[in-house]
Amino acid sequence: MNKFWVITKVQLKEIIDFRKMFNKQNKVKSASFLGLVILFIALFGFISVVYNLMFAFMLNETGNIDLLPGFMFVIASLMTLFTTMFKVKGTIFGSKDYETLQSLPIKSSTIVTSKIFILYLYELIFTLI
């Protein structure tokens, strides 16, 4: 279990490397990237609110407003499912360090479990947004 947490910690540091993002040489690039991420989150939030309001007004007219949380849960689940299907190959088997990790004296199941856990964390953050 200790090897699992060590591998997960190293892979998370590789994915989220703040030193590389906020390097002095890349200051303009990182500021523009951060601005783009904030703009994307704000735009996605606005579209989500408008979509929810459209559904709420439509369901209110038919008297089925109690179905709104179920619809939003299904939509969030479908978004998570589709993004997971597209991301799973690159995250688990297509990463740069997969061959290096396989050559270490660690069971393959521990490595794959760690990668699945990282994919789960990534999708959890995506769903929360």
Side-chain angles (χ1 to χ4, degrees):
M1 192 64 164
N2 189 22
K3 292 178 182 179
F4 170 79
W5 291 114
V6 170
I7 292 172
T8 305
K9 185 173 86 171
V10 168
Q11 289 176 353
L12 281 175
K13 283 183 180 180
E14 178 186 329
I15 291 171
I16 307 170
D17 191 9
F18 289 114
R19 290 176 293 163
K20 192 184 298 181
M21 283 178 24
F22 297 110
N23 195 357
K24 289 181 182 180
Q25 298 168 349
N26 297 332
K27 201 171 235 182
V28 174
K29 188 184 275 188
S30 64
S32 63
F33 177 72
L34 185 63
L36 187 64
V37 168
I38 290 172
L39 179 68
F40 177 73
I41 290 172
L43 181 66
F44 190 73
F46 176 74
I47 290 171
S48 177
V49 167
V50 169
Y51 191 73
N52 285 334
L53 286 175
M54 287 178 12
F55 251 111
F57 287 133
M58 181 182 68
L59 290 173
N60 193 24
E61 288 179 7
T62 61
N64 294 324
I65 194 71
D66 56 333
L67 297 176
L68 184 65
F71 277 133
M72 294 305 119
F73 177 75
V74 168
I75 290 170
S77 298
L78 286 175
M79 285 177 52
T80 304
L81 175 70
F82 285 126
T83 56
T84 302
M85 286 186 337
F86 293 127
K87 184 107 175 111
V88 73
K89 183 179 176 189
T91 303
I92 295 178
F93 301 111
S95 63
K96 299 177 201 174
D97 63 346
Y98 188 71
E99 289 84 17
T100 306
L101 288 173
Q102 287 294 332
S103 67
L104 293 175
I106 301 172
K107 293 192 308 185
S108 296
S109 61
T110 305
I111 296 168
V112 172
T113 305
S114 172
K115 296 232 179 225
I116 290 173
F117 182 70
I118 287 173
L119 181 68
Y120 176 72
L121 287 177
Y122 177 78
E123 293 299 327
L124 184 66
I125 291 169
F126 181 75
T127 303
L128 289 175
I129 290 174

